[in-house]
Amino acid sequence: PILKNRVKRPRPNTEEAFDQVKHLKQQMISSTAVISIGGDSFIDSWNVSPIFALESIEFAQFLGCKTILFGVSIWPFKTTWLQERVRIMLGQCDLVTARDDSTLKYLASLGVESNVRKVSDGAFLMLPRHSEQTSIPWSSASKTVVGFNGSPLFYGVLNHEEADKMLSAMINFFMHIIDKQDCNIIFVPHDAYPSPAERHFLFELKELINRPN
């Protein structure tokens, strides 16, 4: 509730009001631009407060820094007061790059168009880099590798019974494709706020699946 009320308040207009992010001042003013990656960090769909991500960009704009949102996906907010605050922040960005048509349409509906450009998702433009060494114990007989990014955030949008069913379905799915289709599984956590808990979640999921590959 405290964080929700903080987002609900007007955009800060003094440096002291940015108390949660003001420690970033020196890095911001010494940088060419402040870049935020993703966009859904500002959305209220995840049962996680967007205040840190939002105030980081707002503070950079308050300091007169160039601000860029890179590869964003943004969809309708649950609350109009957050939508309005994010709309102002988006409109003051020097550049917003969107990776899907639905984001472009939604931003246009908010009146945010002149600083928006459509781009490919950066993940799909990365060139593969091969290494002779790997710490992953591959099963030499297996021909298939499945990568999976899972997050405990679904516990914030499902009730307890539904969440337990979701977890059981994940476990059964991976057991099946390992046992019946001879797959290797790679769990890939995000490394950015608010996702560090994904490492713990995926480790526990691996333990529950209890398979060597």
Side-chain angles (χ1 to χ4, degrees), residues 24 30 41 69 72 126 151 158 169 191:
L24 299 172
S30 62
S41 301
L69 266 59
V72 300
M126 296 174 67
S151 170
L158 302 177
D191 273 327

Side-chain angles (χ1 to χ4, degrees), residues 9-156:
R9 74 182 186 181
R11 176 178 169 127
N13 56 12
T14 66
E15 186 170 324
E16 291 71 26
F18 286 104
D19 56 293
Q20 185 167 256
V21 295
K22 64 183 181 182
H23 63 284
L24 299 172
K25 178 179 180 179
Q26 191 55 44
Q27 289 129 302
M28 288 180 172
I29 62 177
S30 62
S31 301
T32 303
V34 175
I35 303 175
S36 179
I37 300 174
D40 54 356
S41 301
F42 309 106
I43 298 294
D44 51 358
S45 299
W46 304 129
N47 202 34
V48 176
S49 172
I51 189 62
F52 181 78
L54 178 58
E55 286 198 0
S56 295
I57 297 299
E58 289 177 335
F59 187 42
Q61 293 173 342
F62 174 83
L63 295 172
C65 303
K66 289 187 179 297
T67 52
I68 299 171
L69 266 59
F70 175 77
V72 300
S73 290
I74 296 179
W75 52 91
F77 293 82
K78 295 179 180 178
T79 46
T80 55
W81 44 264
L82 179 60
Q83 174 182 283
E84 176 60 16
R85 190 164 161 185
V86 173
R87 183 192 67 79
I88 294 171
M89 179 272 291
L90 291 168
Q92 293 185 9
C93 284
D94 294 272
L95 176 65
V96 177
T97 65
R99 59 188 176 183
D100 54 81
D101 289 334
S102 60
T103 293
L104 291 170
K105 292 177 181 177
Y106 180 57
L107 293 181
S109 75
L110 298 179
V112 182
E113 291 187 86
S114 62
N115 59 342
V116 179
R117 300 292 182 271
K118 182 180 179 181
V119 298
S120 298
D121 190 312
F124 296 115
L125 300 178
M126 296 174 67
L127 297 175
R129 187 174 69 179
H130 300 283
S131 174
E132 297 299 323
Q133 297 180 335
T134 178
S135 60
I136 302 174
W138 297 111
S139 170
S140 58
S142 177
K143 297 180 180 179
T144 304
V145 178
V146 175
F148 175 76
N149 166 242
S151 170
L153 288 174
F154 67 85
Y155 277 98

Side-chain angles (χ1 to χ4, degrees), residues 148-152 187-192 194-207:
F148 175 76
N149 166 242
S151 170
F187 288 150
V188 187
H190 280 86
D191 273 327
S195 308
E198 290 185 6
R199 294 183 177 273
H200 305 292
F201 172 74
L202 293 174
F203 176 80
E204 292 177 5
L205 182 60
K206 179 180 77 73
E207 296 296 298

